[in-house]
PDB file of all heavy atoms in Angstrom:
ATOM      1  N   ARG D  54     -18.816  -5.479  29.362  1.00  0.00           N
ATOM      2  CA  ARG D  54     -18.446  -5.444  30.777  1.00  0.00           C
ATOM      3  C   ARG D  54     -18.327  -4.015  31.279  1.00  0.00           C
ATOM      4  O   ARG D  54     -18.821  -3.679  32.366  1.00  0.00           O
ATOM      5  CB  ARG D  54     -17.110  -6.182  30.999  1.00  0.00           C
ATOM      6  CG  ARG D  54     -17.207  -7.699  30.905  1.00  0.00           C
ATOM      7  CD  ARG D  54     -15.953  -8.351  31.490  1.00  0.00           C
ATOM      8  NE  ARG D  54     -14.745  -7.910  30.797  1.00  0.00           N
ATOM      9  CZ  ARG D  54     -14.247  -8.505  29.713  1.00  0.00           C
ATOM     10  NH1 ARG D  54     -14.864  -9.560  29.189  1.00  0.00           N
ATOM     11  NH2 ARG D  54     -13.129  -8.065  29.143  1.00  0.00           N
ATOM     12  N   THR D 125     -44.242  34.328   8.582  1.00  0.00           N
ATOM     13  CA  THR D 125     -45.275  34.990   7.778  1.00  0.00           C
ATOM     14  C   THR D 125     -46.369  35.653   8.599  1.00  0.00           C
ATOM     15  O   THR D 125     -47.243  36.308   8.035  1.00  0.00           O
ATOM     16  CB  THR D 125     -45.923  33.984   6.815  1.00  0.00           C
ATOM     17  OG1 THR D 125     -46.330  32.813   7.542  1.00  0.00           O
ATOM     18  CG2 THR D 125     -44.945  33.578   5.734  1.00  0.00           C
ATOM     19  N   VAL D 333     -22.202   3.256  16.613  1.00  0.00           N
ATOM     20  CA  VAL D 333     -22.101   4.643  17.062  1.00  0.00           C
ATOM     21  C   VAL D 333     -21.037   4.772  18.139  1.00  0.00           C
ATOM     22  O   VAL D 333     -20.285   5.753  18.164  1.00  0.00           O
ATOM     23  CB  VAL D 333     -23.464   5.147  17.573  1.00  0.00           C
ATOM     24  CG1 VAL D 333     -23.322   6.505  18.251  1.00  0.00           C
ATOM     25  CG2 VAL D 333     -24.460   5.233  16.425  1.00  0.00           C
ATOM     26  N   ALA D 402     -54.741  41.339  -1.669  1.00  0.00           N
ATOM     27  CA  ALA D 402     -53.313  41.204  -1.376  1.00  0.00           C
ATOM     28  C   ALA D 402     -53.032  39.931  -0.576  1.00  0.00           C
ATOM     29  O   ALA D 402     -52.066  39.214  -0.835  1.00  0.00           O
ATOM     30  CB  ALA D 402     -52.804  42.420  -0.621  1.00  0.00           C
ATOM     31  N   THR D 436     -31.723  27.818 -11.991  1.00  0.00           N
ATOM     32  CA  THR D 436     -32.820  28.589 -11.394  1.00  0.00           C
ATOM     33  C   THR D 436     -32.477  30.053 -11.145  1.00  0.00           C
ATOM     34  O   THR D 436     -33.366  30.913 -11.215  1.00  0.00           O
ATOM     35  CB  THR D 436     -33.273  27.940 -10.068  1.00  0.00           C
ATOM     36  OG1 THR D 436     -32.156  27.814  -9.183  1.00  0.00           O
ATOM     37  CG2 THR D 436     -33.877  26.572 -10.330  1.00  0.00           C
ATOM     38  N   ILE D 504     -29.339  24.805   8.541  1.00  0.00           N
ATOM     39  CA  ILE D 504     -30.435  24.248   9.281  1.00  0.00           C
ATOM     40  C   ILE D 504     -30.776  22.851   8.821  1.00  0.00           C
ATOM     41  O   ILE D 504     -31.915  22.491   8.778  1.00  0.00           O
ATOM     42  CB  ILE D 504     -31.645  25.167   9.131  1.00  0.00           C
ATOM     43  CG1 ILE D 504     -31.198  26.618   9.130  1.00  0.00           C
ATOM     44  CG2 ILE D 504     -32.629  24.965  10.215  1.00  0.00           C
ATOM     45  CD1 ILE D 504     -32.294  27.586   8.883  1.00  0.00           C
ATOM     46  N   ILE D 513     -23.973  16.106  15.534  1.00  0.00           N
ATOM     47  CA  ILE D 513     -23.942  17.490  15.095  1.00  0.00           C
ATOM     48  C   ILE D 513     -24.556  18.308  16.218  1.00  0.00           C
ATOM     49  O   ILE D 513     -25.457  19.099  16.008  1.00  0.00           O
ATOM     50  CB  ILE D 513     -24.740  17.688  13.801  1.00  0.00           C
ATOM     51  CG1 ILE D 513     -24.543  16.519  12.867  1.00  0.00           C
ATOM     52  CG2 ILE D 513     -24.348  18.941  13.095  1.00  0.00           C
ATOM     53  CD1 ILE D 513     -25.421  16.587  11.635  1.00  0.00           C
ATOM     54  N   LEU D 539     -37.967  50.131  -0.373  1.00  0.00           N
ATOM     55  CA  LEU D 539     -39.177  50.277  -1.178  1.00  0.00           C
ATOM     56  C   LEU D 539     -39.553  51.742  -1.329  1.00  0.00           C
ATOM     57  O   LEU D 539     -39.973  52.183  -2.404  1.00  0.00           O
ATOM     58  CB  LEU D 539     -40.319  49.493  -0.528  1.00  0.00           C
ATOM     59  CG  LEU D 539     -41.615  49.340  -1.320  1.00  0.00           C
ATOM     60  CD1 LEU D 539     -41.382  48.551  -2.592  1.00  0.00           C
ATOM     61  CD2 LEU D 539     -42.689  48.665  -0.466  1.00  0.00           C
ATOM     62  N   LEU D 565     -17.410  29.564  -7.382  1.00  0.00           N
ATOM     63  CA  LEU D 565     -16.965  29.184  -6.041  1.00  0.00           C
ATOM     64  C   LEU D 565     -17.637  27.946  -5.472  1.00  0.00           C
ATOM     65  O   LEU D 565     -17.297  27.518  -4.364  1.00  0.00           O
ATOM     66  CB  LEU D 565     -17.186  30.355  -5.073  1.00  0.00           C
ATOM     67  CG  LEU D 565     -16.456  31.650  -5.416  1.00  0.00           C
ATOM     68  CD1 LEU D 565     -16.867  32.765  -4.462  1.00  0.00           C
ATOM     69  CD2 LEU D 565     -14.954  31.451  -5.389  1.00  0.00           C
ATOM     70  N   ARG D 572     -21.697  12.022  -4.588  1.00  0.00           N
ATOM     71  CA  ARG D 572     -20.329  11.763  -4.144  1.00  0.00           C
ATOM     72  C   ARG D 572     -20.357  11.346  -2.682  1.00  0.00           C
ATOM     73  O   ARG D 572     -21.093  11.924  -1.880  1.00  0.00           O
ATOM     74  CB  ARG D 572     -19.451  13.006  -4.303  1.00  0.00           C
ATOM     75  CG  ARG D 572     -19.259  13.450  -5.738  1.00  0.00           C
ATOM     76  CD  ARG D 572     -18.570  12.385  -6.544  1.00  0.00           C
ATOM     77  NE  ARG D 572     -18.436  12.756  -7.950  1.00  0.00           N
ATOM     78  CZ  ARG D 572     -18.145  11.897  -8.914  1.00  0.00           C
ATOM     79  NH1 ARG D 572     -17.967  10.617  -8.635  1.00  0.00           N
ATOM     80  NH2 ARG D 572     -18.032  12.301 -10.160  1.00  0.00           N
ATOM     81  N   SER D 625     -11.134   5.098   2.784  1.00  0.00           N
ATOM     82  CA  SER D 625     -10.502   6.312   3.276  1.00  0.00           C
ATOM     83  C   SER D 625      -8.988   6.188   3.249  1.00  0.00           C
ATOM     84  O   SER D 625      -8.419   5.166   3.621  1.00  0.00           O
ATOM     85  CB  SER D 625     -10.965   6.594   4.706  1.00  0.00           C
ATOM     86  OG  SER D 625     -10.230   7.664   5.243  1.00  0.00           O
TER      87      SER D 625
END
Side-chain angles (χ1 to χ4, degrees):
R54 286 195 301 271
T125 51
V333 171
T436 56
I504 322 175
I513 321 174
L539 189 63
L565 300 174
R572 296 298 177 196
S625 173

